[in-house]
């Protein structure tokens, strides 16, 4: 699937995948009382894990995130339950981590016949269909699945049914906004992507996809860490994408006042556009992880718009590595 097609496919994929995941959750056993859960992944899946863990903790679960390489290097068990995420199910680091651990293991993947699925006790199948080389459908479907799994284990469900329609609206509304600012971001020497809480996954994945799709120089930052020094190089040659509705609102105003072309992706409606500040307002969904699904959509559009301006197709990688995916599909 081509990158722009993957962007547009997400509303329907979210609808289809939610139905499949809910059907699978009926067969996922509850957690033992007090069980500690590790959320594990690499690349985009690790970004999901980093944001899902604090959301799960607010639901009352004892959850933390770590990279697949951290788990593989652990000298002994680190959790009672490991939830491993890999859209393809072939990420070599995640498979190696699962091979080195014991206890209950759960996989979230799009392929029930994948190497990862063969290692675990329970599989949550995304049924998200084909994905683009720069992840679109698989990434947002994984976010949704992790949100649904956490609520299933916590016994505290949210209504996710509006998310596909909200995603369609965000894509339609954000597209012309992105086209109006893409030249500024094309001219930026680096693009900082900043967010906190559940939006940390958007910062990480947003910076990653802009590198993959448009070969842009990017950096991902947690909002409060950004205030402690990483802002020092800012000048009008830097582009900033700020994601969130807390301290991010003030930050967006501050960096745009420094002359940085600034895109604010937020559910807050109280920030007006300025000379260097362009807000994209999102609907408020039922869950923080559902909000993360909506947040990444404008960044996907920015990635594709930048790639198109630079004559790039975003249909593969120049520097393929032969040791990060198991087998071939």
């Amino acid at each position: 699937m081509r990158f722009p097609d993957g962007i547009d496919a997400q509303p329907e994929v979210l609808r289809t995948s939610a139905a499949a995941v809910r059907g699978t959750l009926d067969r996922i056993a509850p957690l033992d009382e007090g069980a500690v859960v590790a959320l594990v992944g690499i690349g985009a899946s690790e970004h999901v894990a980093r944001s899902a863990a604090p959301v799960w903790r607010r639901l009352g679960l004892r959850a933390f995130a770590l990279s697949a390489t951290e788990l593989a290097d652990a000298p002994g068990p680190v959790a009672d339950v490991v939830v491993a995420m890999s859209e393809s199910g072939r990420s070599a680091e995640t498979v190696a981590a699962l091979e080195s651990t014991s206890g209950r293991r759960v996989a979230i993947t799009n392929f029930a016949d994948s190497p990862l699925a063969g290692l675990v006790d329970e599989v949550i199948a995304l049924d998200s269909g084909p994905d683009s080389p720069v992840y679109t459908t698989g990434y947002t479907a994984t976010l949704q699945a992790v949100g649904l799994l956490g609520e299933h284990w916590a016994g505290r469900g949210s209504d996710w049914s509006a998310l596909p329609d909200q995603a369609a609206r965000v894509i339609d509304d954000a597209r012309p906004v992105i086209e109006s600012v893409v030249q500024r971001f094309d001219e930026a020497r680096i693009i900082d992507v900043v967010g906190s809480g559940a939006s940390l996954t958007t910062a990480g994945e947003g910076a990653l996809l802009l590198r993959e799709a448009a070969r842009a120089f990017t950096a991902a930052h947690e909002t409060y860490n950004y205030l402690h020094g990483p802002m020092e190089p800012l000048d009008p040659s830097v582009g900033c994408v700020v994601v969130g509705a807390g301290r991010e609102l003030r930050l967006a105003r501050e960096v745009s006042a420094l002359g940085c072309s600034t895109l604010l992706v937020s559910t807050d409606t109280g920030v007006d556009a300025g000379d260097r500040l362009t807000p994209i307002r999102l609907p408020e969904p039922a869950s923080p992880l559902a909000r993360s699904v909506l947040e990444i959509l404008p960044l996907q559009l920015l990635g594709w718009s930048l790639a198109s301006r630079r004559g790039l197709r975003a249909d593969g990688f120049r520097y393929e590595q032969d040791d990060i995916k198991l087998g071939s599909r």
Side-chain angles (χ1 to χ4, degrees), residues 177-194:
V177 180
I178 293 299
E179 290 303 317
S180 73
V181 301
V182 65
Q183 180 176 344
R184 292 181 179 182
F185 283 91
D186 191 21
E187 294 168 352
R189 62 183 172 86
I190 189 169
I191 302 171
D192 283 350
V193 190
V194 187

Side-chain angles (χ1 to χ4, degrees), residues 51 55 58-59 143 151 158 160 197-199 201-202 284-295:
S51 285
V55 173
R58 286 196 293 273
L59 290 172
L143 268 173
E151 292 179 0
S158 301
W160 291 67
S199 300
T201 186
T202 310
E284 185 66 70
S287 160
L289 293 176
R291 188 181 69 242
S292 297
V293 170
L294 301 181
E295 289 170 348

Side-chain angles (χ1 to χ4, degrees), residues 8-18 164 167-168:
D8 290 335
Q10 287 170 113
E12 187 55 38
V13 169
L14 287 167
R15 197 183 319 275
T16 301
S17 183

Side-chain angles (χ1 to χ4, degrees), residues 33-50:
E33 185 175 355
V36 176
V37 183
L39 288 147
V40 176
I42 197 79
S45 295
E46 183 180 346
H47 296 315
V48 174
R50 298 290 178 191

Side-chain angles (χ1 to χ4, degrees), residues 130-151:
D131 204 349
S132 49
V134 177
Y135 281 157
T136 50
T137 56
Y139 172 77
T140 50
T142 299
L143 268 173
Q144 178 177 247
V146 173
L148 291 170
L149 175 60
E151 292 179 0

Side-chain angles (χ1 to χ4, degrees), residues 27-217:
R27 301 189 295 274
I28 302 297
L31 292 175
D32 291 338
E33 185 175 355
V36 176
V37 183
L39 288 147
V40 176
I42 197 79
S45 295
E46 183 180 346
H47 296 315
V48 174
R50 298 290 178 191
S51 285
V55 173
W56 280 21
R57 288 195 293 270
R58 286 196 293 273
L59 290 172
L61 304 178
R62 301 181 67 191
F64 69 99
L66 73 171
S67 71
T69 52
E70 287 179 273
L71 180 59
D73 289 341
V78 299
D80 303 300
V81 182
V82 172
V83 177
M85 293 167 283
S86 171
E87 186 275 338
S88 68
R90 298 184 294 115
S91 295
E93 300 87 353
T94 305
V95 171
L98 266 289
E99 289 175 335
S100 68
T101 192
S102 59
R104 183 180 175 188
R105 297 175 291 184
V106 180
I108 299 176
T109 180
N110 198 26
F111 297 96
D113 60 347
S114 63
L116 179 63
L119 287 173
V120 301
D121 307 290
E122 297 155 293
V123 177
I124 298 172
L126 296 173
D127 193 22
S128 56
D131 204 349
S132 49
V134 177
Y135 281 157
T136 50
T137 56
Y139 172 77
T140 50
T142 299
L143 268 173
Q144 178 177 247
V146 173
L148 291 170
L149 175 60
E151 292 179 0
H152 168 74
W153 273 339
R156 296 168 57 185
S158 301
D159 183 4
W160 291 67
S161 62
L163 185 60
D165 289 338
Q166 289 176 328
R169 190 163 92 235
V170 170
I171 292 169
D172 288 344
D173 291 348
R175 200 184 305 271
V177 180
I178 293 299
E179 290 303 317
S180 73
V181 301
V182 65
Q183 180 176 344
R184 292 181 179 182
F185 283 91
D186 191 21
E187 294 168 352
R189 62 183 172 86
I190 189 169
I191 302 171
D192 283 350
V193 190
V194 187
S196 63
S199 300
L200 192 59
T201 186
T202 310
E205 175 62 11
L208 175 61
L209 75 86
L210 290 174
R211 293 178 76 95
E212 292 177 339
R215 299 175 189 167
F217 291 103

